[in-house]
Amino acid sequence: MTVTSVDKDFDSLTLTLTADFAAPVENVWQLWADPRRLERWWGPPTYPATFENHDLTPGGEVTYFMTGPEGDKHRGWWRVTSVAAPTSLEFTDGFADQDGTPSATMPTTTMSMRLTEHDGGTRMEIRSAFATREQMDQLITMGMDEGLKEAVVQMDGLLTG
């Protein structure tokens, strides 16, 4: 399995997923940088993503929706804060209403993704930082940790296929 750990640190209000791939850093980066490739793994297998906007530049916006098994759509957005291709990406991640407007009632997270060479392949670390313990609890109760793990596991097939 690709995912080596999912650590919840309630003191620092972070969730950190670590995954190792038998592929070069640049190949793993392309799974983030190419929206068509990103669609093939972002979200759990039963909730595939469709990216509408994908601007991975500082200040850029990414908008997407995930479609559930019953055809229900769940919208999300990113506001990109930092990019250092091909090794890091930082963004604010949030939920959106059905019209794509960022939700004022759902929490946002600050996410940072880092890629480093590791044992002849690539180690990816995704860290989600929460503003409050209540927000962290809410998103973990909604299944954020399991959903992220299920999503990342799909990356292996894209790197070897």
Side-chain angles (χ1 to χ4, degrees):
M1 179 183 279
T2 304
V3 176
T4 57
S5 67
V6 179
D7 298 312
K8 295 173 239 175
D9 185 335
F10 293 100
D11 292 328
S12 68
L13 300 176
T14 58
L15 172 77
T16 305
L17 179 141
T18 304
D20 292 324
F21 303 99
V25 166
E26 179 61 37
N27 292 18
V28 179
W29 173 259
Q30 285 303 316
L31 296 182
W32 290 87
D34 179 341
R36 303 297 72 93
R37 292 182 187 178
L38 185 58
E39 287 176 338
R40 297 182 61 200
W41 71 268
W42 185 259
T46 56
Y47 282 83
T50 301
F51 283 80
E52 300 166 304
N53 298 306
H54 186 266
D55 180 4
L56 289 190
T57 59
E61 290 186 3
V62 175
T63 60
Y64 65 93
F65 61 89
M66 295 188 295
T67 305
E70 307 298 321
D72 48 314
K73 287 188 167 58
H74 305 273
R75 294 189 171 277
W77 56 269
W78 300 350
R79 297 295 177 269
V80 179
T81 52
S82 174
V83 180
T87 58
S88 69
L89 173 64
E90 295 180 6
F91 56 95
T92 302
D93 180 32
F95 294 87
D97 297 334
Q98 289 305 311
D99 64 359
T101 303
S103 173
T105 60
M106 292 295 293
T108 61
T109 56
T110 301
M111 298 187 78
S112 62
M113 186 279 298
R114 302 268 183 272
L115 301 174
T116 55
E117 291 183 21
H118 180 75
D119 288 344
T122 300
R123 172 160 284 172
M124 179 177 72
E125 181 182 278
I126 302 172
R127 176 166 296 178
S128 301
F130 305 88
T132 66
R133 173 65 188 262
E134 293 76 23
Q135 289 180 353
M136 184 175 183
D137 289 342
Q138 179 182 3
L139 291 176
I140 288 174
T141 299
M142 290 173 62
M144 177 183 179
D145 51 339
E146 284 302 313
L148 184 59
K149 183 177 177 181
E150 288 177 16
V152 168
V153 166
Q154 299 174 99
M155 294 173 80
D156 250 346
L158 300 173
L159 292 165
T160 59

